[in-house]
Amino acid sequence: MEPVEISRNLNETLNLTAKQTSNNNKVDKANILVIGGAGYIGSVLIRKLLSRGYGVRVLDKLIYENGSSISNLIEEKSFSFIYGDFGNDEILGEALENVTDVVLLAALVGDPICKKYPELARKTNVENPIKLIEKMNGRRISKLIFTSTCSNYGLRKDDTPANEESELNPQSLYAETKIATERYILENLNRFDFSPTILRLSTAFGVSARMRFDLTISEFTKELAMGKDLIVYDENTWRPYCNVSDISDAIIRVLESPEQKVFGQVFNVGANSNNYTKKMILDLIGKHVKQARIEYRKGGFDARNYRVSFDKLKEVLEFEPRISAEDSITQVANAIENNLFADVDHRKNLYGNYEIRNANYTNL
């Protein structure tokens, strides 16, 4: 795939749109709509928002039968839940009523699930977000946070960390769809009466109420802590990682930042210290899981290899993740060894983005 460039020379657009994004006519009480709030990141984020006194509404289709991740919040006075697809006009209109900000987490997330359901991936990751953005105008909404991915950088020519202005080189349908929506947002900034921000997230790790064990750090830790043999391809390829709690805090930082700092901006979300090769991750796991049996092979199907710079996040928003990969490895290994995820092999789809079992969703 050819590298993709997205222009970020936004000074003229920022000036044109400044008067549209003023807070003079915004709703006073902060009520956050989190689309996809029952997912891996969302179920952490919404609890943090509630603890900070925000009103929270979740719109989620529960495509992985993951309603249990938020069921204990139903009696919270500041929490409400709407079941449904955000591509449905009626449901989306209801969800947008009287909210001040929108966080869009909902997507088909990851290369395997997008490859398995390509048409649904394009609809969920591109068509529905554009529909949402169009419907947000005129509703006195302050901010939109669109969660994208560092996978957009794909395959780098060298180990130089990619910053927000680096060329994009997607290696999967998942990254292609995220780039398409990014492009739509950045090319239409002067049409919005709200402030959009794009967050390119590192590969997530850490514990969540909707736990995922199909992501590198947690997957490797789980397999080895359970005493299984692990085959690892291309162990010297780089990835950036970030804990779900830190990702949630970064989203909150954008919500609470002045609009002039975040309007039309793209931020990589992660920490420079959490750029790792697979081999480096396995070395960390080996410190906490004894007798790990690992076989290294070459020629895996995933061509991605990229390091990422998070200097902009630190300098502009004064935000830096605090949880290291090793911190989380210790916690996940301990949880596995103490049978907190004893059902992981029997309820595989609950713990990863493998299959969509909701026929009403896949047939949309």
Side-chain angles (χ1 to χ4, degrees), residues 24 33 39 51 95 139 199 211 213 220 232 340 343 355 357:
N24 294 337
L33 171 62
S51 73
R139 290 180 176 270
L199 299 183
M211 188 61 187
F213 283 112
F220 286 179
V232 176
L340 291 183
D343 61 343
E355 181 181 357
R357 295 177 179 172

Side-chain angles (χ1 to χ4, degrees), residues 292-310:
R293 299 189 300 271
I294 306 166
E295 179 183 345
Y296 295 103
R297 295 182 183 177
K298 300 295 182 183
F301 66 89
D302 189 347
R304 292 174 299 163
N305 184 23
Y306 56 96
R307 297 175 66 188
V308 176
S309 168
F310 303 98

